[in-house]
Amino acid sequence: MAISHLHCLQSVRVAFPCRPSVSNNYYYGRDNFTRKCSSLVYASTNNLNRDLHLQSKVETVLDSVKWDDRGLAVAIAQNVDTGAILMQGFANREAVATTVSSRKATFYSRSRSMLWTKGETSNNFINVHDIFLDCDRDSIIYLGKPDGPTCHTGSETCYYTPVFDLLENQQDKEDKLALTTLYSLESTIAQRKGELEVPQSGKPSWTRRLLLDEKLLCSKIREEADELCRTLEDNEDKPRAASEMADVLYHAMVLLALKDVKMEEVLDILRCRFSQSGIEEKRSRNSQA
Amino acid sequence: MAISHLHCLQSVRVAFPCRPSVSNNYYYGRDNFTRKCSSLVYASTNNLNRDLHLQSKVETVLDSVKWDDRGLAVAIAQNVDTGAILMQGFANREAVATTVSSRKATFYSRSRSMLWTKGETSNNFINVHDIFLDCDRDSIIYLGKPDGPTCHTGSETCYYTPVFDLLENQQDKEDKLALTTLYSLESTIAQRKGELEVPQSGKPSWTRRLLLDEKLLCSKIREEADELCRTLEDNEDKPRAASEMADVLYHAMVLLALKDVKMEEVLDILRCRFSQSGIEEKRSRNSQA
Protein backbone atom coordinates (compact mmCIF):
# COMPACT_ATOMS: atom_id res chain seq x y z
CA MET A 1 0.00 0.00 0.00
CA ALA A 2 1.37 3.37 -0.98
CA ILE A 3 2.29 5.75 1.82
CA SER A 4 0.35 8.41 -0.01
CA HIS A 5 -2.78 6.53 0.91
CA LEU A 6 -2.25 7.43 4.51
CA HIS A 7 -1.25 11.01 4.94
CA CYS A 8 -4.79 12.26 5.36
CA LEU A 9 -5.55 9.71 7.97
CA GLN A 10 -5.50 12.06 10.92
CA SER A 11 -8.28 14.12 9.44
CA VAL A 12 -10.20 10.93 8.73
CA ARG A 13 -10.94 10.46 12.39
CA VAL A 14 -14.29 12.12 12.67
CA ALA A 15 -16.65 9.21 12.98
CA PHE A 16 -19.62 11.03 11.42
CA PRO A 17 -18.32 14.14 9.66
CA CYS A 18 -20.82 16.57 8.25
CA ARG A 19 -21.07 17.04 4.55
CA PRO A 20 -17.67 15.57 3.63
CA SER A 21 -16.08 17.13 0.60
CA VAL A 22 -17.12 15.45 -2.60
CA SER A 23 -14.21 16.16 -4.85
CA ASN A 24 -11.18 14.41 -3.52
CA ASN A 25 -9.87 12.57 -6.52
CA TYR A 26 -6.24 12.77 -5.50
CA TYR A 27 -6.23 9.41 -3.85
CA TYR A 28 -8.05 7.38 -6.44
CA GLY A 29 -5.35 7.20 -9.07
CA ARG A 30 -3.69 3.83 -9.28
CA ASP A 31 -0.50 5.45 -10.51
CA ASN A 32 0.33 7.85 -7.75
CA PHE A 33 4.00 7.07 -7.46
CA THR A 34 5.03 10.51 -8.77
CA ARG A 35 2.66 12.27 -6.39
CA LYS A 36 3.91 10.13 -3.54
CA CYS A 37 7.52 10.97 -4.29
CA SER A 38 6.95 14.67 -4.62
CA SER A 39 4.84 14.81 -1.49
CA LEU A 40 7.50 12.92 0.42
CA VAL A 41 10.27 15.27 -0.72
CA TYR A 42 8.46 18.18 0.85
CA ALA A 43 7.12 16.35 3.86
CA SER A 44 8.60 17.23 7.19
CA THR A 45 10.29 14.50 9.16
CA ASN A 46 7.40 14.65 11.63
CA ASN A 47 4.88 14.09 8.92
CA LEU A 48 6.91 11.23 7.51
CA ASN A 49 7.14 9.56 10.90
CA ARG A 50 3.44 10.04 11.42
CA ASP A 51 2.71 8.54 8.02
CA LEU A 52 4.90 5.53 8.71
CA HIS A 53 3.29 5.06 12.11
CA LEU A 54 -0.18 5.20 10.56
CA GLN A 55 0.84 2.88 7.76
CA SER A 56 2.01 0.37 10.31
CA LYS A 57 -1.30 0.62 12.17
CA VAL A 58 -3.33 0.16 9.00
CA GLU A 59 -1.23 -2.87 8.12
CA THR A 60 -1.92 -4.33 11.56
CA VAL A 61 -5.67 -3.87 11.11
CA LEU A 62 -5.50 -5.34 7.61
CA ASP A 63 -3.52 -8.29 8.96
CA SER A 64 -6.40 -8.98 11.35
CA VAL A 65 -8.93 -9.37 8.51
CA LYS A 66 -9.59 -12.96 7.46
CA TRP A 67 -9.16 -12.63 3.70
CA ASP A 68 -10.46 -15.56 1.68
CA ASP A 69 -8.32 -17.69 -0.63
CA ARG A 70 -8.56 -14.93 -3.25
CA GLY A 71 -7.48 -12.28 -0.73
CA LEU A 72 -10.99 -10.84 -0.55
CA ALA A 73 -13.64 -10.04 2.05
CA VAL A 74 -17.28 -9.05 1.56
CA ALA A 75 -17.75 -5.26 1.71
CA ILE A 76 -21.21 -3.77 2.23
CA ALA A 77 -21.89 -0.06 1.72
CA GLN A 78 -24.61 1.32 3.99
CA ASN A 79 -26.19 4.78 4.10
CA VAL A 80 -25.21 6.26 7.46
CA ASP A 81 -28.43 8.27 7.75
CA THR A 82 -31.12 5.94 6.44
CA GLY A 83 -29.47 2.58 7.06
CA ALA A 84 -30.23 1.53 3.48
CA ILE A 85 -27.85 -1.11 2.13
CA LEU A 86 -26.57 0.65 -0.97
CA MET A 87 -24.53 -2.11 -2.62
CA GLN A 88 -22.29 -5.05 -1.85
CA GLY A 89 -18.95 -5.83 -3.38
CA PHE A 90 -15.66 -7.37 -2.38
CA ALA A 91 -12.56 -5.70 -0.99
CA ASN A 92 -8.92 -6.70 -0.85
CA ARG A 93 -6.23 -5.12 1.35
CA GLU A 94 -5.62 -2.30 -1.08
CA ALA A 95 -9.33 -1.53 -1.42
CA VAL A 96 -9.77 -1.16 2.33
CA ALA A 97 -6.54 0.86 2.66
CA THR A 98 -7.71 3.15 -0.13
CA THR A 99 -11.12 3.55 1.52
CA VAL A 100 -9.44 4.39 4.84
CA SER A 101 -7.31 7.10 3.27
CA SER A 102 -9.64 8.50 0.62
CA ARG A 103 -12.90 8.00 2.52
CA LYS A 104 -14.53 6.91 -0.75
CA ALA A 105 -15.94 3.37 -0.73
CA THR A 106 -13.50 1.32 -2.78
CA PHE A 107 -13.83 -2.29 -3.87
CA TYR A 108 -11.97 -4.94 -5.82
CA SER A 109 -13.64 -5.92 -9.06
CA ARG A 110 -13.41 -9.67 -9.51
CA SER A 111 -14.43 -9.48 -13.15
CA ARG A 112 -11.90 -6.78 -14.08
CA SER A 113 -9.26 -7.86 -11.53
CA MET A 114 -8.70 -4.29 -10.40
CA LEU A 115 -9.59 -1.77 -7.72
CA TRP A 116 -12.56 0.42 -8.34
CA THR A 117 -13.93 3.30 -6.36
CA LYS A 118 -17.71 3.57 -6.51
CA GLY A 119 -18.34 6.88 -8.27
CA GLU A 120 -15.13 7.11 -10.28
CA THR A 121 -17.25 7.04 -13.45
CA SER A 122 -20.62 8.36 -12.26
CA ASN A 123 -19.31 10.81 -9.63
CA ASN A 124 -21.76 9.21 -7.24
CA PHE A 125 -19.18 8.47 -4.60
CA ILE A 126 -20.01 6.93 -1.25
CA ASN A 127 -18.33 9.13 1.36
CA VAL A 128 -17.27 6.76 4.09
CA HIS A 129 -17.67 7.98 7.68
CA ASP A 130 -16.74 4.81 9.47
CA ILE A 131 -15.72 1.25 8.68
CA PHE A 132 -16.74 -1.77 10.74
CA LEU A 133 -15.50 -5.36 10.79
CA ASP A 134 -17.69 -8.23 11.89
CA CYS A 135 -16.98 -10.70 14.68
CA ASP A 136 -15.27 -13.12 12.30
CA ARG A 137 -13.32 -10.28 10.65
CA ASP A 138 -14.27 -11.47 7.18
CA SER A 139 -17.04 -8.99 6.46
CA ILE A 140 -16.84 -5.21 6.28
CA ILE A 141 -19.36 -2.36 6.45
CA TYR A 142 -18.53 0.93 4.76
CA LEU A 143 -20.90 3.28 6.61
CA GLY A 144 -21.23 6.38 4.50
CA LYS A 145 -23.17 9.03 2.69
CA PRO A 146 -23.81 8.59 -1.05
CA ASP A 147 -23.47 11.58 -3.36
CA GLY A 148 -26.27 10.24 -5.53
CA PRO A 149 -27.89 7.00 -6.67
CA THR A 150 -25.59 4.08 -6.01
CA CYS A 151 -26.82 1.58 -8.59
CA HIS A 152 -25.56 1.74 -12.17
CA THR A 153 -29.26 1.60 -13.19
CA GLY A 154 -29.85 4.96 -11.49
CA SER A 155 -31.66 3.35 -8.59
CA GLU A 156 -30.94 4.68 -5.12
CA THR A 157 -29.65 1.27 -4.07
CA CYS A 158 -28.91 -1.97 -5.92
CA TYR A 159 -31.61 -3.88 -4.01
CA TYR A 160 -34.89 -3.31 -5.78
CA THR A 161 -36.01 -6.82 -6.71
CA PRO A 162 -38.40 -8.25 -4.10
CA VAL A 163 -38.51 -12.04 -4.18
CA PHE A 164 -42.04 -12.42 -2.79
CA ASP A 165 -43.35 -10.06 -5.48
CA LEU A 166 -41.60 -12.19 -8.12
CA LEU A 167 -43.30 -15.26 -6.67
CA GLU A 168 -46.64 -13.53 -7.02
CA ASN A 169 -45.95 -12.60 -10.63
CA GLN A 170 -45.70 -8.96 -9.71
CA GLN A 171 -42.41 -8.54 -11.52
CA ASP A 172 -44.05 -6.19 -13.99
CA LYS A 173 -44.73 -3.69 -11.25
CA GLU A 174 -42.35 -0.85 -10.57
CA ASP A 175 -39.12 -1.75 -8.85
CA LYS A 176 -39.52 -1.80 -5.10
CA LEU A 177 -36.57 -0.76 -2.99
CA ALA A 178 -35.66 -2.74 0.11
CA LEU A 179 -37.02 -0.15 2.55
CA THR A 180 -36.95 -0.37 6.31
CA THR A 181 -39.98 0.68 8.34
CA LEU A 182 -39.46 4.45 8.51
CA TYR A 183 -38.81 4.74 4.78
CA SER A 184 -41.57 2.34 3.91
CA LEU A 185 -43.94 4.64 5.79
CA GLU A 186 -42.43 7.68 4.09
CA SER A 187 -42.95 6.00 0.74
CA THR A 188 -46.59 5.18 1.57
CA ILE A 189 -47.29 8.79 2.56
CA ALA A 190 -45.60 10.05 -0.61
CA GLN A 191 -47.78 7.67 -2.63
CA ARG A 192 -50.93 9.04 -0.97
CA LYS A 193 -49.73 12.55 -1.74
CA GLY A 194 -49.25 11.57 -5.38
CA GLU A 195 -52.85 10.32 -5.51
CA LEU A 196 -54.39 13.56 -4.20
CA GLU A 197 -55.44 14.68 -7.66
CA VAL A 198 -57.16 11.36 -8.34
CA PRO A 199 -60.85 11.48 -7.39
CA GLN A 200 -61.75 8.75 -4.91
CA SER A 201 -65.03 7.20 -3.98
CA GLY A 202 -65.90 6.31 -0.41
CA LYS A 203 -64.50 7.68 2.76
CA PRO A 204 -61.05 9.22 2.25
CA SER A 205 -58.13 7.62 4.06
CA TRP A 206 -56.81 9.35 7.17
CA THR A 207 -53.52 10.19 5.46
CA ARG A 208 -55.44 11.71 2.54
CA ARG A 209 -57.56 13.77 4.91
CA LEU A 210 -54.46 15.06 6.68
CA LEU A 211 -52.76 15.89 3.40
CA LEU A 212 -55.83 17.82 2.22
CA ASP A 213 -56.47 19.67 5.47
CA GLU A 214 -53.46 21.51 6.88
CA LYS A 215 -55.45 22.83 9.81
CA LEU A 216 -56.47 19.31 10.82
CA LEU A 217 -52.87 18.08 10.35
CA CYS A 218 -51.35 20.81 12.52
CA SER A 219 -53.93 20.36 15.23
CA LYS A 220 -53.15 16.63 15.25
CA ILE A 221 -49.39 17.22 15.49
CA ARG A 222 -49.85 19.56 18.46
CA GLU A 223 -52.31 17.15 20.06
CA GLU A 224 -50.03 14.11 19.64
CA ALA A 225 -47.02 16.01 21.00
CA ASP A 226 -49.12 16.96 24.01
CA GLU A 227 -50.19 13.35 24.51
CA LEU A 228 -46.57 12.21 24.31
CA CYS A 229 -45.67 14.71 27.03
CA ARG A 230 -48.50 13.49 29.19
CA THR A 231 -47.12 9.96 29.17
CA LEU A 232 -44.22 11.42 31.15
CA GLU A 233 -46.18 13.95 33.22
CA ASP A 234 -48.87 11.42 34.19
CA ASN A 235 -46.45 8.53 34.52
CA GLU A 236 -48.21 6.42 31.89
CA ASP A 237 -46.78 3.06 30.87
CA LYS A 238 -44.10 2.35 28.27
CA PRO A 239 -46.38 0.95 25.54
CA ARG A 240 -48.45 4.12 25.76
CA ALA A 241 -45.34 6.29 25.35
CA ALA A 242 -44.20 4.22 22.37
CA SER A 243 -47.64 4.48 20.78
CA GLU A 244 -47.83 8.25 21.27
CA MET A 245 -44.35 8.64 19.79
CA ALA A 246 -45.50 6.61 16.78
CA ASP A 247 -48.42 9.05 16.41
CA VAL A 248 -46.12 12.06 16.63
CA LEU A 249 -43.73 10.59 14.08
CA TYR A 250 -46.44 9.62 11.60
CA HIS A 251 -48.28 12.96 11.69
CA ALA A 252 -45.02 14.93 11.53
CA MET A 253 -43.99 12.84 8.51
CA VAL A 254 -47.23 13.78 6.75
CA LEU A 255 -46.25 17.42 7.27
CA LEU A 256 -42.75 16.69 5.93
CA ALA A 257 -44.34 15.16 2.82
CA LEU A 258 -46.32 18.36 2.25
CA LYS A 259 -43.10 20.36 2.66
CA ASP A 260 -41.21 17.99 0.33
CA VAL A 261 -38.71 17.23 3.07
CA LYS A 262 -37.20 13.74 3.31
CA MET A 263 -36.45 12.04 6.62
CA GLU A 264 -32.91 11.62 5.29
CA GLU A 265 -32.52 15.42 5.33
CA VAL A 266 -33.73 15.53 8.93
CA LEU A 267 -31.27 12.81 9.93
CA ASP A 268 -28.48 14.61 8.10
CA ILE A 269 -29.17 17.63 10.32
CA LEU A 270 -29.25 15.50 13.46
CA ARG A 271 -25.96 13.83 12.52
CA CYS A 272 -24.31 17.18 11.98
CA ARG A 273 -25.60 18.50 15.30
CA PHE A 274 -24.90 15.53 17.48
CA SER A 275 -22.14 13.44 16.01
CA GLN A 276 -19.22 15.35 17.38
CA SER A 277 -18.91 14.82 21.08
CA GLY A 278 -18.94 18.04 23.06
CA ILE A 279 -20.23 20.15 20.23
CA GLU A 280 -23.65 18.53 20.62
CA GLU A 281 -24.80 20.41 23.67
CA LYS A 282 -23.24 23.75 22.79
CA ARG A 283 -25.02 23.93 19.47
CA SER A 284 -28.25 22.85 21.00
CA ARG A 285 -27.91 25.42 23.80
CA ASN A 286 -27.10 28.13 21.29
CA SER A 287 -30.18 27.28 19.32
CA GLN A 288 -32.26 27.63 22.49
CA ALA A 289 -30.89 31.08 23.24
CA MET B 1 -35.83 -28.69 -2.90
CA ALA B 2 -38.54 -30.53 -1.02
CA ILE B 3 -42.11 -29.63 -1.80
CA SER B 4 -42.71 -29.36 1.91
CA HIS B 5 -40.60 -26.21 1.81
CA LEU B 6 -43.30 -24.53 -0.15
CA HIS B 7 -46.71 -25.26 1.19
CA CYS B 8 -46.79 -22.29 3.53
CA LEU B 9 -45.79 -19.93 0.77
CA GLN B 10 -49.19 -18.33 0.32
CA SER B 11 -49.22 -17.14 3.87
CA VAL B 12 -45.69 -15.81 3.41
CA ARG B 13 -46.95 -13.01 1.25
CA VAL B 14 -47.36 -10.25 3.79
CA ALA B 15 -44.45 -7.99 3.06
CA PHE B 16 -44.13 -6.69 6.61
CA PRO B 17 -46.12 -8.97 8.91
CA CYS B 18 -46.51 -7.96 12.53
CA ARG B 19 -44.93 -10.08 15.22
CA PRO B 20 -44.46 -13.23 13.13
CA SER B 21 -44.68 -16.44 15.09
CA VAL B 22 -41.37 -17.48 16.55
CA SER B 23 -41.78 -21.22 16.87
CA ASN B 24 -42.03 -22.70 13.45
CA ASN B 25 -39.46 -25.43 13.51
CA TYR B 26 -41.31 -27.72 11.16
CA TYR B 27 -39.44 -26.57 8.14
CA TYR B 28 -35.92 -26.58 9.51
CA GLY B 29 -35.40 -30.32 9.68
CA ARG B 30 -33.21 -31.60 6.91
CA ASP B 31 -34.93 -34.98 7.07
CA ASN B 32 -38.53 -34.14 6.41
CA PHE B 33 -39.24 -36.81 3.85
CA THR B 34 -41.72 -38.59 6.13
CA ARG B 35 -43.55 -35.37 6.91
CA LYS B 36 -43.61 -34.48 3.26
CA CYS B 37 -45.10 -37.86 2.31
CA SER B 38 -47.75 -37.81 4.98
CA SER B 39 -48.74 -34.24 4.20
CA LEU B 40 -48.97 -35.07 0.53
CA VAL B 41 -51.21 -38.08 1.17
CA TYR B 42 -53.76 -35.88 2.83
CA ALA B 43 -53.34 -32.86 0.62
CA SER B 44 -56.16 -32.04 -1.69
CA THR B 45 -55.46 -32.02 -5.40
CA ASN B 46 -55.87 -28.27 -5.35
CA ASN B 47 -53.27 -27.85 -2.67
CA LEU B 48 -50.92 -30.16 -4.51
CA ASN B 49 -51.30 -28.20 -7.72
CA ARG B 50 -50.76 -24.97 -5.85
CA ASP B 51 -47.64 -26.36 -4.21
CA LEU B 52 -46.25 -27.53 -7.53
CA HIS B 53 -47.04 -24.17 -9.09
CA LEU B 54 -45.27 -22.36 -6.25
CA GLN B 55 -42.33 -24.73 -6.41
CA SER B 56 -41.98 -23.99 -10.07
CA LYS B 57 -42.03 -20.24 -9.37
CA VAL B 58 -39.43 -20.53 -6.64
CA GLU B 59 -37.24 -22.57 -8.97
CA THR B 60 -37.56 -19.85 -11.62
CA VAL B 61 -36.50 -17.16 -9.14
CA LEU B 62 -33.61 -19.32 -7.93
CA ASP B 63 -32.56 -19.92 -11.54
CA SER B 64 -32.29 -16.15 -11.98
CA VAL B 65 -29.74 -15.82 -9.16
CA LYS B 66 -26.12 -15.72 -10.30
CA TRP B 67 -24.63 -18.33 -8.01
CA ASP B 68 -20.83 -18.32 -7.82
CA ASP B 69 -18.65 -21.31 -8.75
CA ARG B 70 -19.46 -22.84 -5.36
CA GLY B 71 -23.21 -22.35 -5.88
CA LEU B 72 -23.33 -19.51 -3.36
CA ALA B 73 -24.42 -15.88 -3.17
CA VAL B 74 -23.80 -13.33 -0.42
CA ALA B 75 -26.76 -13.07 1.99
CA ILE B 76 -27.08 -10.09 4.32
CA ALA B 77 -29.58 -10.05 7.20
CA GLN B 78 -30.95 -6.59 8.00
CA ASN B 79 -33.27 -5.47 10.80
CA VAL B 80 -36.47 -4.32 9.10
CA ASP B 81 -37.17 -1.70 11.76
CA THR B 82 -33.78 -0.20 12.56
CA GLY B 83 -31.94 -0.94 9.31
CA ALA B 84 -29.06 -2.43 11.30
CA ILE B 85 -27.03 -4.98 9.34
CA LEU B 86 -27.27 -7.96 11.66
CA MET B 87 -24.89 -10.44 10.00
CA GLN B 88 -23.65 -11.59 6.63
CA GLY B 89 -23.31 -15.13 5.41
CA PHE B 90 -23.66 -17.08 2.21
CA ALA B 91 -26.71 -18.82 0.78
CA ASN B 92 -27.15 -21.60 -1.75
CA ARG B 93 -30.41 -22.51 -3.55
CA GLU B 94 -31.63 -24.61 -0.66
CA ALA B 95 -30.88 -21.90 1.90
CA VAL B 96 -32.93 -19.32 0.00
CA ALA B 97 -35.75 -21.81 -0.63
CA THR B 98 -35.80 -22.68 3.06
CA THR B 99 -35.85 -19.00 4.00
CA VAL B 100 -38.74 -18.39 1.59
CA SER B 101 -40.79 -21.19 3.10
CA SER B 102 -39.83 -20.97 6.77
CA ARG B 103 -39.34 -17.22 6.95
CA LYS B 104 -36.29 -17.80 9.16
CA ALA B 105 -33.01 -16.47 7.74
CA THR B 106 -31.12 -19.53 6.56
CA PHE B 107 -27.56 -19.71 5.24
CA TYR B 108 -25.07 -22.22 3.93
CA SER B 109 -22.10 -22.75 6.21
CA ARG B 110 -18.94 -23.00 4.12
CA SER B 111 -16.92 -24.39 7.02
CA ARG B 112 -19.44 -27.10 7.93
CA SER B 113 -20.71 -27.64 4.35
CA MET B 114 -24.33 -27.61 5.48
CA LEU B 115 -27.42 -25.45 5.79
CA TRP B 116 -27.90 -23.55 9.01
CA THR B 117 -30.76 -21.44 10.19
CA LYS B 118 -29.67 -18.55 12.36
CA GLY B 119 -31.22 -19.26 15.75
CA GLU B 120 -31.42 -23.05 15.50
CA THR B 121 -29.07 -23.24 18.49
CA SER B 122 -29.65 -19.92 20.26
CA ASN B 123 -33.36 -19.53 19.43
CA ASN B 124 -32.49 -16.04 18.23
CA PHE B 125 -34.08 -16.49 14.83
CA ILE B 126 -34.27 -13.72 12.26
CA ASN B 127 -37.90 -13.64 11.11
CA VAL B 128 -37.73 -12.71 7.46
CA HIS B 129 -40.39 -10.32 6.18
CA ASP B 130 -39.05 -9.80 2.70
CA ILE B 131 -36.14 -10.88 0.52
CA PHE B 132 -34.43 -8.68 -2.04
CA LEU B 133 -32.00 -9.44 -4.84
CA ASP B 134 -29.54 -6.86 -6.11
CA CYS B 135 -29.21 -5.62 -9.69
CA ASP B 136 -26.62 -8.29 -10.53
CA ARG B 137 -28.66 -10.97 -8.80
CA ASP B 138 -25.67 -12.22 -6.89
CA SER B 139 -26.39 -10.59 -3.54
CA ILE B 140 -29.40 -11.07 -1.27
CA ILE B 141 -30.95 -9.13 1.60
CA TYR B 142 -33.00 -10.97 4.21
CA LEU B 143 -35.05 -8.11 5.67
CA GLY B 144 -36.35 -9.29 9.01
CA LYS B 145 -36.90 -8.96 12.69
CA PRO B 146 -34.48 -10.68 15.05
CA ASP B 147 -35.80 -12.48 18.12
CA GLY B 148 -32.72 -11.48 20.08
CA PRO B 149 -29.04 -10.67 19.69
CA THR B 150 -27.78 -11.95 16.34
CA CYS B 151 -24.07 -12.37 17.08
CA HIS B 152 -22.77 -15.51 18.77
CA THR B 153 -20.96 -13.17 21.18
CA GLY B 154 -24.31 -11.88 22.45
CA SER B 155 -23.90 -8.60 20.60
CA GLU B 156 -26.97 -7.19 18.88
CA THR B 157 -25.19 -7.38 15.52
CA CYS B 158 -21.90 -8.90 14.37
CA TYR B 159 -20.48 -5.49 13.40
CA TYR B 160 -18.98 -3.95 16.52
CA THR B 161 -15.35 -3.41 15.55
CA PRO B 162 -14.75 0.14 14.29
CA VAL B 163 -11.66 0.40 12.12
CA PHE B 164 -10.91 4.07 12.79
CA ASP B 165 -11.01 3.40 16.54
CA LEU B 166 -8.54 0.54 16.02
CA LEU B 167 -6.27 2.93 14.13
CA GLU B 168 -6.39 5.31 17.07
CA ASN B 169 -5.50 2.53 19.52
CA GLN B 170 -8.96 2.66 21.03
CA GLN B 171 -9.42 -1.06 20.73
CA ASP B 172 -9.51 -1.33 24.51
CA LYS B 173 -12.70 0.70 24.63
CA GLU B 174 -16.06 -0.98 24.72
CA ASP B 175 -17.30 -2.51 21.49
CA LYS B 176 -19.03 0.06 19.33
CA LEU B 177 -21.89 -1.09 17.15
CA ALA B 178 -22.17 0.16 13.59
CA LEU B 179 -25.04 2.55 14.31
CA THR B 180 -26.79 4.76 11.80
CA THR B 181 -27.69 8.33 12.72
CA LEU B 182 -30.95 7.81 14.62
CA TYR B 183 -29.50 5.03 16.77
CA SER B 184 -26.23 6.85 17.26
CA LEU B 185 -28.26 9.75 18.69
CA GLU B 186 -30.31 7.34 20.80
CA SER B 187 -27.09 5.84 22.13
CA THR B 188 -25.69 9.29 22.98
CA ILE B 189 -28.84 10.24 24.89
CA ALA B 190 -28.78 6.90 26.75
CA GLN B 191 -25.16 7.58 27.67
CA ARG B 192 -26.08 11.00 29.08
CA LYS B 193 -28.88 9.38 31.04
CA GLY B 194 -26.40 6.87 32.45
CA GLU B 195 -24.18 9.73 33.62
CA LEU B 196 -26.92 11.56 35.54
CA GLU B 197 -25.72 10.26 38.89
CA VAL B 198 -22.17 11.40 38.18
CA PRO B 199 -21.55 14.92 39.53
CA GLN B 200 -20.33 17.26 36.82
CA SER B 201 -18.48 20.54 36.99
CA GLY B 202 -19.30 23.44 34.70
CA LYS B 203 -22.48 24.13 32.83
CA PRO B 204 -24.56 21.00 32.31
CA SER B 205 -25.16 19.83 28.76
CA TRP B 206 -28.54 20.55 27.19
CA THR B 207 -29.42 16.86 27.11
CA ARG B 208 -28.53 16.54 30.79
CA ARG B 209 -30.68 19.55 31.65
CA LEU B 210 -33.63 18.06 29.74
CA LEU B 211 -33.18 14.67 31.41
CA LEU B 212 -33.12 16.30 34.85
CA ASP B 213 -36.04 18.67 34.28
CA GLU B 214 -39.21 17.01 32.97
CA LYS B 215 -41.10 20.28 32.96
CA LEU B 216 -38.47 21.89 30.74
CA LEU B 217 -38.43 18.82 28.47
CA CYS B 218 -42.19 18.74 27.98
CA SER B 219 -42.38 22.47 27.36
CA LYS B 220 -39.66 22.08 24.72
CA ILE B 221 -41.46 19.17 23.00
CA ARG B 222 -44.69 21.17 22.80
CA GLU B 223 -42.78 24.24 21.60
CA GLU B 224 -40.88 22.34 18.89
CA ALA B 225 -44.05 20.65 17.66
CA ASP B 226 -45.67 24.07 17.44
CA GLU B 227 -42.69 25.44 15.50
CA LEU B 228 -42.85 22.49 13.10
CA CYS B 229 -46.52 23.24 12.47
CA ARG B 230 -45.73 26.88 11.84
CA THR B 231 -43.34 25.96 9.03
CA LEU B 232 -46.46 24.75 7.21
CA GLU B 233 -48.88 27.41 8.43
CA ASP B 234 -46.48 30.28 7.71
CA ASN B 235 -45.13 28.71 4.53
CA GLU B 236 -41.54 28.67 5.79
CA ASP B 237 -38.80 27.11 3.68
CA LYS B 238 -37.79 23.45 3.48
CA PRO B 239 -34.56 23.72 5.50
CA ARG B 240 -36.52 25.33 8.32
CA ALA B 241 -39.05 22.48 8.30
CA ALA B 242 -36.25 19.89 8.31
CA SER B 243 -34.54 21.67 11.19
CA GLU B 244 -37.74 21.89 13.25
CA MET B 245 -38.42 18.22 12.64
CA ALA B 246 -34.90 17.45 13.86
CA ASP B 247 -35.71 19.40 17.04
CA VAL B 248 -38.99 17.53 17.54
CA LEU B 249 -37.28 14.19 17.03
CA TYR B 250 -34.37 14.91 19.36
CA HIS B 251 -36.49 16.25 22.23
CA ALA B 252 -39.02 13.43 21.86
CA MET B 253 -36.17 10.92 21.95
CA VAL B 254 -34.97 12.39 25.26
CA LEU B 255 -38.46 11.72 26.61
CA LEU B 256 -38.33 8.16 25.23
CA ALA B 257 -35.02 7.65 27.04
CA LEU B 258 -36.65 8.71 30.32
CA LYS B 259 -39.49 6.26 29.64
CA ASP B 260 -37.02 3.49 28.70
CA VAL B 261 -38.62 3.18 25.26
CA LYS B 262 -36.45 2.33 22.26
CA MET B 263 -37.00 3.81 18.81
CA GLU B 264 -37.14 0.22 17.58
CA GLU B 265 -40.33 -0.30 19.64
CA VAL B 266 -41.86 2.82 18.09
CA LEU B 267 -40.99 1.61 14.59
CA ASP B 268 -42.40 -1.82 15.37
CA ILE B 269 -45.71 -0.11 16.17
CA LEU B 270 -45.58 1.96 12.99
CA ARG B 271 -44.85 -1.13 10.88
CA CYS B 272 -47.78 -2.98 12.40
CA ARG B 273 -50.08 -0.02 11.80
CA PHE B 274 -49.05 0.88 8.30
CA SER B 275 -47.54 -2.09 6.56
CA GLN B 276 -50.72 -3.70 5.39
CA SER B 277 -52.30 -1.71 2.63
CA GLY B 278 -55.86 -0.71 3.33
CA ILE B 279 -55.69 -1.47 7.00
CA GLU B 280 -53.52 1.57 7.52
CA GLU B 281 -56.16 4.24 7.38
CA LYS B 282 -58.90 2.28 9.08
CA ARG B 283 -56.81 1.67 12.16
CA SER B 284 -55.67 5.23 12.23
CA ARG B 285 -59.24 6.49 11.87
CA ASN B 286 -60.41 4.18 14.62
CA SER B 287 -57.74 5.50 16.90
CA GLN B 288 -58.90 9.04 16.19
CA ALA B 289 -62.49 8.20 17.07
Side-chain angles (χ1 to χ4, degrees), chain B residues 51-66:
Chain B
D51 284 355
L52 289 169
H53 186 54
L54 283 168
Q55 180 178 21
S56 152
K57 280 184 179 174
V58 172
E59 294 294 341
T60 304
V61 171
L62 293 176
D63 285 345
S64 78
V65 176
K66 283 194 195 141

Side-chain angles (χ1 to χ4, degrees), chain A residues 10-54:
Chain A
Q10 289 288 23
S11 66
V12 160
R13 185 57 195 128
V14 179
F16 292 85
C18 283
R19 306 176 200 291
S21 66
V22 173
S23 55
N24 181 1
N25 282 300
Y26 186 82
Y27 301 101
Y28 312 144
R30 248 77 70 192
D31 176 17
N32 50 20
F33 179 74
T34 317
R35 293 179 191 134
K36 183 181 77 178
C37 291
S38 62
S39 75
L40 285 180
V41 167
Y42 297 107
S44 69
T45 311
N46 278 349
N47 283 347
L48 185 57
N49 284 341
R50 196 193 66 192
D51 285 354
L52 290 170
H53 186 53
L54 284 168

Side-chain angles (χ1 to χ4, degrees), chain A residues 261-273:
Chain A
V261 172
K262 291 276 197 188
M263 272 307 289
E264 185 170 1
E265 296 169 63
V266 175
L267 291 167
D268 186 88
I269 290 170
L270 281 173
R271 176 167 43 81
C272 292
R273 283 191 196 163

